[in-house]
Amino acid sequence: MATFIIRRLIASFFVLLAATYLMYLLTALSGDPLEDLRASTAPNAAQLIERRIDLLHLDVPPYLRYFIWLAGVGQCFIGQCDLGVNVQGQPVITLLSQAFGQTLQLVTIAAIIAIVVGVIVGITTALRQYSGYDYSVTFLAFLFFSLPIFWVAVLLKQYIAIGFNDFLRDPVIPAWLIAGLALLGGIIWMSILGGNARKRLMVFGIAAVATAGVLVYISVTDWFRQPSIGIVGIGLTAVGAAFGITAVSTGLRNRKALYSSLTVAAIALALYYPLQFVFVGMSLPLFLGLAVATVVVSGLVGWFWGGHDRWQSVRTAIIVGVIIAMVIALDEYMSYWEAYSNSSRVRGRPIATIGSATPNLGGNFWVQGVDTFTHLLLPTIALILVSVASYTRYTRSSMLEVLNQDYIRTARAKGLTERTVMVRHAFRNALIPIATIIAFDIGALIGGAVITERVFAWTGMGALFQNGLEHVDPNPVMAFFLVTGTLAVVFNLIADLVYAALDPRIRIS
């Protein structure tokens, strides 16, 4: 394994070296970095031109100037990275750190949600092949995948931001919309669960009534202005997560795992009100500390209950604990929604359309978190709609291929439960081709969603790359390429290692 990794890294080093050299030459020869100064009528234009030539080493031919840049990159191995400066004289390493942080914040949530939703929907469509649900998801996947991202972004601005902000002036859901959404909810759940005509009709009725009831409650209680989950909602979520995660992770026959999950749910509910006093003085270190404590306590509960496979209980309890903790944190964020929306900087229009933060907002940890959420909402949805479509199709195709294999028939013939066949045998093997797609997509996303960042005015990696090209400025472009190229190599290597972890037949040597 170690030999394989070292050989791949050495080969990748020389590939990156050649690629960066070609990229530097193409950027440097794509235009004149002094064009704006040559057209300037300033009295000191000649001095400005000479200063930029000295600053960017423009008196050195590009094929030799590359090695000046490479020497600065080499200093990273001793902790003194020097990626040069841009045409304005700003250190590129500073611009890179800011841009990388912005892009990482933007794409992380989008990538996680897209992967989780895409894989789950892909699996369920494979299990319900050629059903109405399958055809509907296929249609939507092709629709979202074919939509131009800039057009999707503009529509989100118009209807999710501007339209929703206008709706918040009088947030009452009209009766015709409640009826329409109730019918749509009934059709969706009926298609997902399937069954005979009687079962489908029953599911349709229950789902339609439940959807209508929730919408009426939201409208009557002015929930959009004062959203909350409350102890009852958290309790229902906790119990549902305990049974649902246990059913998928170990099966409900594993009573130890189920008791572990229910114990974690009970502990979370018991700590709900005491935690309200802790939340008042919340800070990022405290928030991370509580997250770690959640994992540790949940793991200990699973270890205490044990069972024939103690680690199954530990794993299940940790997943349930993390889900409940996320719901409790969401409830606390919601409690500050009204204060944020009515602040002098937001003025009743909370869904942001540009930028990554509201200038001079102020407020505590929770208010700042709500502000981050409102600025992330639209670009995250835009990225998810495009990414989840591809994940859905790839997962469905991979799952169908696995389900037709002989070892799946053998597993069923042995009398294994359908959950065991799906989770232990089919799902794990279906993830092998998905691992490749995920690895490359994450590397590409971190490289910057250029169009999305442009539409929503985010100063991330895409903006760094674009500004460098516009000003014929190789240093920012090379900083972008260095990060994305390195990430492509790393995630490609990770994908190879994941193959071996998912399929014992694959050996890394």
Side-chain angles (χ1 to χ4, degrees):
M1 178 74 74
T3 304
F4 169 80
I5 294 175
I6 292 172
R7 289 175 60 188
R8 285 291 300 271
L9 291 177
I10 292 174
S12 301
F13 170 78
F14 289 104
V15 170
L16 274 176
L17 195 65
T20 53
Y21 184 73
L22 291 175
M23 189 67 180
Y24 193 95
L25 291 182
L26 290 173
T27 305
L29 298 174
S30 63
D32 182 9
L34 301 174
E35 182 178 1
D36 58 327
L37 295 180
R38 297 187 198 279
S40 175
T41 58
N44 62 338
Q47 289 82 0
L48 293 176
I49 291 176
E50 187 171 347
R51 180 178 179 275
R52 184 175 293 182
I53 290 174
D54 293 337
L55 190 67
L56 301 179
H57 306 288
L58 298 179
D59 53 339
V60 179
Y63 59 87
L64 295 178
R65 197 189 318 154
Y66 165 81
F67 294 99
I68 299 176
W69 173 84
L70 187 62
V73 174
Q75 295 181 30
C76 294
F77 294 102
I78 58 175
Q80 298 177 355
C81 283
D82 181 12
L83 302 181
V85 295
N86 64 356
V87 292
Q88 286 82 27
Q90 299 170 303
V92 173
I93 188 67
T94 303
L95 298 176
L96 178 63
S97 60
Q98 295 171 352
F100 187 76
Q102 292 282 329
T103 295
L104 196 62
Q105 182 185 22
L106 174 62
V107 305
T108 300
I109 298 176
I112 293 174
I113 296 176
I115 291 169
V116 173
V117 174
V119 170
I120 291 175
V121 173
I123 291 174
T124 54
T125 52
L127 297 178
R128 298 289 318 284
Q129 187 182 17
Y130 302 137
S131 64
Y133 169 64
D134 183 25
Y135 286 126
S136 300
V137 171
T138 299
F139 170 76
L140 291 175
F142 282 115
L143 175 65
F144 291 141
F145 190 76
S146 61
L147 291 178
I149 186 66
F150 62 86
W151 188 67
V152 173
V154 172
L155 290 180
L156 291 175
K157 278 189 174 186
Q158 178 63 40
Y159 295 104
I160 303 299
I162 298 174
F164 184 75
N165 286 335
D166 292 339
F167 167 75
L168 288 179
R169 296 174 183 172
D170 184 21
V172 176
I173 306 176
W176 65 267
L177 185 57
I178 292 177
L181 292 177
L183 291 175
L184 181 61
I187 293 173
I188 291 174
W189 282 106
M190 178 182 69
S191 301
I192 293 175
L193 297 180
N196 54 37
R198 181 180 177 182
K199 180 182 177 181
R200 291 163 68 90
L201 187 61
M202 184 181 300
V203 170
F204 173 81
I206 294 174
V209 171
T211 303
V214 170
L215 292 175
V216 170
Y217 172 80
I218 288 175
S219 182
V220 171
T221 59
D222 202 19
W223 189 87
F224 285 108
R225 288 179 179 167
Q226 299 174 325
S228 67
I229 300 175
I231 185 67
V232 176
I234 292 175
L236 293 175
T237 304
V239 174
F243 279 94
I245 297 300
T246 304
V248 175
S249 177
T250 65
L252 294 177
R253 293 181 180 179
N254 189 333
R255 295 300 180 183
K256 296 295 185 179
L258 179 60
Y259 296 154
S260 301
S261 301
L262 291 174
T263 302
V264 170
I267 293 174
L269 293 175
L271 292 177
Y272 175 76
Y273 288 111
L275 283 173
Q276 303 305 311
F277 299 99
V278 179
F279 290 159
V280 174
M282 182 60 68
S283 62
L284 182 59
L286 179 57
F287 188 85
L288 296 177
L290 290 174
V292 174
T294 299
V295 174
V296 172
V297 172
S298 302
L300 290 176
V301 170
W303 183 266
F304 171 79
W305 277 107
H308 65 278
D309 189 347
R310 194 182 298 269
W311 288 108
Q312 287 188 352
S313 299
V314 172
R315 177 189 65 206
T316 306
I318 289 176
I319 296 174
V320 172
V322 170
I323 292 175
I324 299 174
M326 292 171 63
V327 175
I328 292 176
L330 178 61
D331 179 67
E332 189 65 18
Y333 278 118
M334 286 182 173
S335 67
Y336 286 88
W337 174 264
E338 186 177 15
Y340 169 77
S341 181
N342 295 331
S343 65
S344 60
R345 305 298 301 179
V346 178
R347 293 177 293 183
R349 303 188 69 82
I351 306 301
T353 56
I354 60 172
S356 59
T358 302
N360 304 318
L361 175 64
N364 60 13
F365 175 85
W366 302 106
V367 172
Q368 292 292 330
V370 174
D371 183 61
T372 301
F373 165 78
T374 57
H375 284 82
L376 282 172
L377 180 63
L378 298 186
T380 299
I381 293 176
L383 292 174
I384 287 174
L385 288 178
V386 176
S387 299
V388 76
S390 59
Y391 288 132
T392 299
R393 301 306 299 163
Y394 281 118
T395 304
R396 178 184 182 275
S397 176
S398 179
M399 193 71 177
L400 286 175
E401 182 179 357
V402 170
L403 290 176
N404 291 323
Q405 298 297 316
D406 291 338
Y407 61 84
I408 298 296
R409 301 189 187 94
T410 304
R412 285 176 172 148
K414 288 181 178 179
L416 296 179
T417 63
E418 192 65 13
R419 187 207 67 84
T420 303
V421 173
M422 290 296 110
V423 176
R424 291 289 185 89
H425 297 277
F427 176 62
R428 183 172 179 175
N429 288 282
L431 283 180
I432 294 176
I434 307 303
T436 305
I437 307 300
I438 291 175
F440 282 107
D441 277 2
I442 291 177
L445 279 175
I446 294 177
V450 178
I451 299 175
T452 305
E453 291 180 11
R454 182 78 170 184
V455 174
F456 294 105
W458 277 66
T459 55
M461 295 289 287
L464 181 72
F465 177 73
Q466 186 176 9
N467 291 335
L469 288 180
E470 289 177 353
H471 295 93
V472 196
D473 191 359
N475 288 339
V477 175
M478 294 308 299
F480 168 88
F481 189 76
L482 184 65
V483 171
T484 54
T486 303
L487 288 174
V489 169
V490 170
F491 279 104
N492 191 20
L493 178 60
I494 291 175
D496 288 338
L497 299 179
V498 169
Y499 296 157
L502 291 174
D503 190 345
R505 296 172 298 179
I506 299 176
R507 291 290 178 264
I508 301 296
S509 62

